[in-house]
Amino acid sequence: MKQYLLHDEWKIIEEGFHRENNRVSESIFSLGNGRMGGRGNFEEKYSGSSLQGNYVAGVYYPDKTRVGWWKNGYPEYFAKVLNAANWIGINIHIEGESLDLAKMNIESFRRELNMKEGTLARSFVATFKNGKKVKVSSLRFLSIVKPEIGTIKYCLEPLNFSGSITVTPYIDFDIMNEDANYDEKFWVAESAENSGNEAYLSAHTRKTKFLVCSGMKYNVMVDGKERAVQIENESKEKYAESTFTIELKQYQQLTLHKYGVNTSSEYYPKKQLVSKSKELLNEAFDIGFERLLTEHIEAWARKWETSDIHIEGDVAAQQGIRFNIFQLNQTYTGDDERLNIGPKGFTGEKYGGTTYWDTEAYCLPFYLATASQDVARNLLKYRYKHLGKAIENAEKLGFIDGAALYPMVTINGEECHNEWEITFEEIHRNGAIAYAIYNYIRYTGDKGYLAPYGFEVLLAISRFWSQRVNWSQALGKYVMLGVTGPNEYENNVDNNFHTNNMALWTMQYTLEVIAFMKHEHPEMYAELCRKHQFGEEKETARWNEIIDKMYLPYDEQGQIYLQQDGFLNKELKPVSDINPEERPINQHWSWDRILRSPYIKQADVLQSLFWFEEKYDKDFIARHFDFYEPLTVHESSLSSCVHSVLAASIGRPEKAYEFYLRTARLDLDNINNDTDDGLHITSMGGTWLAFVYGLGGMRVINDQLIFKPILPEGWKSYSFKINFHNAHLKISVTHKGIEVSNLSEPKLELMVYDQLYLLDSKSKITV
């Protein structure tokens, strides 16, 4: 754990330059706007440890799989969201010496992410080897009003000399992905234009042929007045720079406004891409930095209006939740159903920037409650549009008759993960996608989504489950062999409880949806049956038999569901017995040792208990929590949030707060020692769950909104806002009680601590 960042309610602040943590800081200080993003790299050259990263949404490359041996069904590639052009670059030279903080004496340094306004600021005073001292400040943002535009205000001031400063703004498209399997470069140059203070480079991706254009334009000011400069331009393949030298007196301030544009063929015709880039960039240039910034700040204010969480009395907890909300809001905006959420968002390359089950399991609830209904609907439609590919994925593994296995990792619907224990076995992802449909409908009341989108997906997933089970003569039950559950520290197990439970639940829910379709949409239902060759009587009879006879591993003595067959054969030593110097175990132990240990990477059985909590009483959940929590190392970023929710539910407020703080500050404090390769964006949705569903006690059961909040010790109050069934609510919790305000017109019934209330339009209740 590295706690070098200052605590602040609205800002992330690094005071003093921590070279050893620079890659961690680059992740934490990342910016994005849903269409593009980039790590918190320096504008000027930096020769120290760094991961340069700029990313354009939806643009990827199918990097050929690298495995020791091939298995039938292996994907041929692992999709990579590509590291795109470095458009932020501004090199500085004084008397031939480069401004490079890796090699200079730094007297002061401050880096500041303003989450309220969506800006990244940096300032420092540094001394060159020749003794010349400069003061530099920069302010950068990626516009969420004009999502192709990014801007930089870069200021430099000589402190102990007068002389010439050479400035070189540039665009570099000669970029590699650090995670390239074969050290290949994925971009092929298309065109280059470089004249005066303006340059454009376009390049296409190998194989996938996405075309991206990146451009820059800048102006120069000295002490606030525009200054004409003599420019020298130089271009190479996939690189363009524009250099000028300017004489500055001591304490004079040079200001460079650099405007960048990034466009892709996903949004504009290829033949018009360069001309469109020029149009967008010149429009931004004419608007000017300050006005662009004002519009950007106002747009962020509107985002915070619906999604902010306010805590009084705990700055670390406050900073943590706002950081998570900020990153979620700048990663995904929901205006394009072709896009989804990668585990690292725009902050790094690990996991390829591709889509996992994390979106449905952890992120969907955040967008359901804080954004318009269309945003969450688009997340579901992303999977619906990939249904054909999911059926193809299942066919590659031997499944038939329209059974669908959604991919563990994808960007276009096709499976591209190549670790066998995950690609073939971690099939619980199908259950997460089915659950997301159910979760969306019960939260929004939008049953229209079932006809046809939801029904078609549920039918295909249920067909998969009905083929994936085996009949065990010995048990007289249906079993599920050779799977990996959410706990990836167990591979190739039989009868993982969560997987079996999701299979039987999905078939049960699909039967309910069939009844709805037959009653509400009989003609459409008949057409869909023909389209998918659905033999209702025969297929549902098998589903019902599986539901009645599905095996769920259970220990009668302990009265708990077992994570999988044979779990009690392990030596069940608690995590507290592990030498702290050997944590995290995935960075210190052999894989063999991990697999033989009882230690759980993330919530597994508890994941099911969280999703279907209303089926179990509090004592039942507490027994499972007390058994599994001491064995859980939480080395997945997706673990602590589930434990926090359940701890609050069973009356363990101290544990709920402990796990909330862990997930909220996972990246800020680098708890798992892995923030350097990017943030854990999808687990940030889990942080929101830990707060609103855990501390806030929010549930939706039988279409009823419920709150049972707790107030952690030391907190004076907290509040959060949600959308529910077209109503916009603010929930405030203090030591005096709970206040629920309806900020909108629709009336709403809700329950607070098991008491039913009617909340009129523009009114509030106090409990």
Side-chain angles (χ1 to χ4, degrees), residues 211 263-276:
L211 185 64
T263 58
S264 84
S265 54
E266 287 288 89
Y267 296 95
Y268 303 104
K270 290 183 178 181
K271 291 183 179 180
Q272 301 173 18
L273 199 61
V274 174
S275 62
K276 189 63 181 178

Side-chain angles (χ1 to χ4, degrees), residues 27-73:
S27 297
I28 289 171
F29 291 96
S30 296
L31 292 176
N33 62 12
R35 194 73 65 81
M36 64 175 176
R39 289 168 61 81
N41 305 120
F42 298 158
E43 288 86 5
E44 67 277 347
K45 175 183 177 181
Y46 183 71
S47 60
S49 178
S50 174
L51 172 60
Q52 183 71 44
N54 292 280
Y55 309 95
V56 178
V59 176
Y60 71 93
Y61 178 80
D63 197 8
K64 184 172 173 55
T65 297
R66 187 167 193 165
V67 292
W69 65 94
W70 204 262
K71 294 182 175 69
N72 288 336

Side-chain angles (χ1 to χ4, degrees), residues 274-512:
V274 174
S275 62
K276 189 63 181 178
S277 298
K278 291 179 179 179
E279 177 187 329
L280 291 167
L281 185 58
N282 280 289
E283 178 187 352
F285 187 84
D286 291 341
I287 291 172
F289 182 89
E290 296 301 332
R291 187 172 149 202
L292 287 170
L293 177 60
T294 298
E295 293 175 352
H296 175 75
I297 293 171
E298 289 172 350
W300 264 108
R302 291 190 292 272
K303 282 186 176 289
W304 285 113
E305 181 62 31
T306 59
S307 61
D308 188 27
I309 290 176
H310 179 251
I311 300 170
E312 187 180 11
D314 190 335
V315 176
Q318 175 69 87
Q319 183 184 47
I321 190 62
R322 281 188 173 141
F323 181 67
N324 284 254
I325 293 169
F326 173 74
Q327 294 295 345
L328 286 165
N329 276 330
Q330 68 172 1
T331 299
Y332 183 77
T333 57
D335 58 358
D336 187 342
E337 63 192 31
R338 298 172 300 172
L339 299 179
N340 207 279
I341 304 162
K344 296 295 180 185
F346 297 117
T347 72
E349 299 169 16
K350 191 175 180 181
Y351 306 119
T354 48
T355 298
Y356 284 61
W357 70 294
D358 307 15
T359 295
E360 285 74 23
Y362 302 97
C363 297
L364 180 68
F366 169 79
Y367 296 103
L368 276 173
T370 64
S372 72
Q373 187 171 306
D374 289 343
V375 172
R377 208 173 202 264
N378 279 344
L379 283 174
L380 297 188
K381 287 182 72 175
Y382 176 88
R383 295 295 192 180
Y384 173 77
K385 285 177 170 289
H386 290 171
L387 178 57
K389 287 288 188 183
I391 292 171
E392 287 180 19
N393 293 334
E395 287 173 347
K396 291 175 184 177
L397 302 184
F399 295 87
I400 59 174
D401 297 331
L405 176 59
Y406 275 91
M408 185 64 184
V409 174
T410 193
I411 201 162
N412 65 357
E414 188 174 17
E415 177 66 77
C416 62
H417 198 288
N418 51 48
E419 295 177 24
W420 66 270
E421 68 272 22
I422 294 176
T423 306
F424 304 147
E425 294 190 345
E426 202 162 332
I427 54 178
H428 64 85
R429 68 226 191 204
N430 254 10
I433 290 164
Y435 183 82
I437 296 170
Y438 161 76
N439 202 20
Y440 167 81
I441 290 166
R442 72 169 176 175
Y443 195 93
T444 64
D446 179 19
K447 292 185 178 180
Y449 183 78
L450 292 171
Y453 305 129
F455 168 70
E456 292 189 69
V457 171
L458 291 166
L459 171 63
I461 291 175
S462 291
R463 284 173 157 176
F464 172 83
W465 289 129
S466 72
Q467 295 177 39
R468 185 59 173 78
V469 297
N470 288 27
W471 175 254
S472 168
Q473 193 67 39
L475 291 173
K477 295 279 189 180
Y478 284 97
V479 298
M480 197 94 68
L481 307 179
V483 302
T484 297
N487 171 29
E488 293 170 342
Y489 288 176
E490 293 276 10
N491 300 152
N492 198 30
V493 302
D494 295 339
N495 296 308
N496 171 259
F497 168 76
H498 178 68
T499 306
N500 288 21
N501 193 43
M502 292 308 302
L504 73 86
W505 173 84
T506 302
M507 289 183 281
Q508 287 174 328
Y509 182 53
T510 306
L511 291 171
E512 294 176 18

Side-chain angles (χ1 to χ4, degrees), residues 91-193:
N91 283 337
I92 305 293
H93 288 84
I94 297 177
E95 293 185 357
E97 190 175 338
S98 176
L99 176 57
D100 179 355
L101 293 187
K103 299 178 178 179
M104 302 177 70
N105 179 43
I106 303 171
E107 292 185 22
S108 65
F109 180 96
R110 184 180 176 92
R111 189 163 17 185
E112 180 177 294
L113 181 68
N114 186 323
M115 299 179 289
K116 190 173 187 177
E117 299 183 350
T119 60
L120 173 60
R122 183 169 58 104
S123 61
F124 61 86
V125 173
T127 305
F128 290 82
K129 290 180 180 178
N130 59 23
K132 293 187 175 354
K133 184 183 297 186
V134 294
K135 179 181 179 181
V136 173
S137 64
S138 66
L139 181 66
R140 184 161 90 224
F141 66 95
L142 301 182
S143 173
I144 58 171
V145 179
K146 302 181 185 302
E148 295 92 352
I149 299 297
T151 61
I152 303 166
K153 181 179 182 180
Y154 192 90
C155 302
L156 183 146
E157 181 180 340
L159 296 183
N160 64 351
F161 70 99
S162 299
S164 61
I165 314 287
T166 300
V167 183
T168 305
Y170 66 88
I171 308 170
D172 185 4
F173 230 134
D174 194 20
I175 294 295
M176 277 188 63
N177 270 51
E178 189 178 65
D179 66 349
N181 285 341
Y182 294 90
D183 297 328
E184 297 174 288
K185 292 184 177 180
F186 302 138
W187 294 102
V188 178
E190 281 265 348
S191 67
E193 296 183 27

Side-chain angles (χ1 to χ4, degrees), residues 30 73 93 117 133 194 223 225 505 530 605 725 750 766:
S30 296
H93 288 84
E117 299 183 350
K133 184 183 297 186
N194 188 4
D223 288 344
K225 296 181 179 179
W505 173 84
R530 288 191 291 271
V605 173
H725 284 204
L750 72 155
T766 302

Side-chain angles (χ1 to χ4, degrees), residues 440-600:
Y440 167 81
I441 290 166
R442 72 169 176 175
Y443 195 93
T444 64
D446 179 19
K447 292 185 178 180
Y449 183 78
L450 292 171
Y453 305 129
F455 168 70
E456 292 189 69
V457 171
L458 291 166
L459 171 63
I461 291 175
S462 291
R463 284 173 157 176
F464 172 83
W465 289 129
S466 72
Q467 295 177 39
R468 185 59 173 78
V469 297
N470 288 27
W471 175 254
S472 168
Q473 193 67 39
L475 291 173
K477 295 279 189 180
Y478 284 97
V479 298
M480 197 94 68
L481 307 179
V483 302
T484 297
N487 171 29
E488 293 170 342
Y489 288 176
E490 293 276 10
N491 300 152
N492 198 30
V493 302
D494 295 339
N495 296 308
N496 171 259
F497 168 76
H498 178 68
T499 306
N500 288 21
N501 193 43
M502 292 308 302
L504 73 86
W505 173 84
T506 302
M507 289 183 281
Q508 287 174 328
Y509 182 53
T510 306
L511 291 171
E512 294 176 18
V513 171
I514 288 171
F516 165 80
M517 293 289 292
K518 290 170 72 173
H519 186 266
E520 298 293 331
H521 304 279
E523 293 182 3
M524 181 186 292
Y525 176 70
E527 177 59 33
L528 291 172
C529 287
R530 288 191 291 271
K531 174 183 176 182
H532 295 286
Q533 299 180 316
F534 178 46
E536 181 190 332
E537 184 176 350
K538 181 179 179 181
E539 292 193 56
T540 59
R542 175 167 172 79
W543 298 352
N544 277 309
E545 182 182 12
I546 294 169
I547 292 166
D548 290 341
K549 298 178 181 178
M550 176 67 84
Y551 172 69
L552 298 174
Y554 188 76
D555 175 46
E556 292 289 351
Q557 183 176 350
Q559 294 188 304
I560 58 168
Y561 286 116
L562 296 178
Q563 185 173 275
Q564 73 266 342
D565 286 350
F567 188 78
L568 293 181
N569 294 335
K570 292 175 175 283
E571 189 177 3
L572 301 179
K573 293 182 177 180
V575 171
S576 57
D577 284 2
I578 302 174
N579 183 342
E581 294 182 1
E582 297 179 10
R583 301 282 304 277
I585 61 173
N586 63 19
Q587 296 176 21
H588 294 87
W589 287 12
S590 70
W591 193 241
D592 170 72
R593 185 180 179 187
I594 289 173
L595 291 176
R596 288 186 289 107
S597 80
Y599 301 123
I600 298 170

Side-chain angles (χ1 to χ4, degrees), residues 529-678:
C529 287
R530 288 191 291 271
K531 174 183 176 182
H532 295 286
Q533 299 180 316
F534 178 46
E536 181 190 332
E537 184 176 350
K538 181 179 179 181
E539 292 193 56
T540 59
R542 175 167 172 79
W543 298 352
N544 277 309
E545 182 182 12
I546 294 169
I547 292 166
D548 290 341
K549 298 178 181 178
M550 176 67 84
Y551 172 69
L552 298 174
Y554 188 76
D555 175 46
E556 292 289 351
Q557 183 176 350
Q559 294 188 304
I560 58 168
Y561 286 116
L562 296 178
Q563 185 173 275
Q564 73 266 342
D565 286 350
F567 188 78
L568 293 181
N569 294 335
K570 292 175 175 283
E571 189 177 3
L572 301 179
K573 293 182 177 180
V575 171
S576 57
D577 284 2
I578 302 174
N579 183 342
E581 294 182 1
E582 297 179 10
R583 301 282 304 277
I585 61 173
N586 63 19
Q587 296 176 21
H588 294 87
W589 287 12
S590 70
W591 193 241
D592 170 72
R593 185 180 179 187
I594 289 173
L595 291 176
R596 288 186 289 107
S597 80
Y599 301 123
I600 298 170
K601 181 182 181 184
Q602 72 181 78
D604 194 310
V605 173
L606 297 185
Q607 182 76 48
S608 268
L609 300 191
F610 163 50
W611 275 349
F612 305 110
E613 184 182 1
E614 63 268 25
K615 293 171 57 177
Y616 312 106
D617 63 43
K618 186 176 292 188
D619 289 341
F620 184 85
I621 296 172
R623 277 200 305 277
H624 287 76
F625 187 90
D626 290 339
F627 180 77
Y628 285 109
E629 193 278 320
L631 301 173
T632 305
V633 290
H634 300 290
E635 290 174 13
S636 165
S637 64
L638 304 173
S639 185
S640 294
C641 58
V642 173
H643 285 75
S644 180
V645 172
L646 291 180
S649 177
I650 62 176
R652 312 275 179 85
E654 298 85 1
K655 275 289 183 185
Y657 173 75
E658 173 191 333
F659 286 122
Y660 159 73
L661 198 62
R662 178 186 173 94
T663 184
R665 298 196 62 84
L666 180 75
D667 286 313
L668 291 177
D669 295 339
N670 197 12
I671 288 173
N672 282 342
N673 196 31
D674 60 358
T675 304
D676 57 333
D677 54 28

Side-chain angles (χ1 to χ4, degrees), residues 720-747:
F720 58 92
K721 295 178 180 178
I722 64 160
N723 300 315
F724 182 77
H725 284 204
N726 299 315
H728 184 51
L729 309 180
K730 180 179 180 180
I731 297 86
S732 302
V733 181
T734 69
H735 290 287
K736 294 180 180 180
I738 299 96
E739 183 178 278
V740 183
S741 302
N742 186 355
L743 306 177
S744 53
E745 293 296 335
K747 298 178 181 180

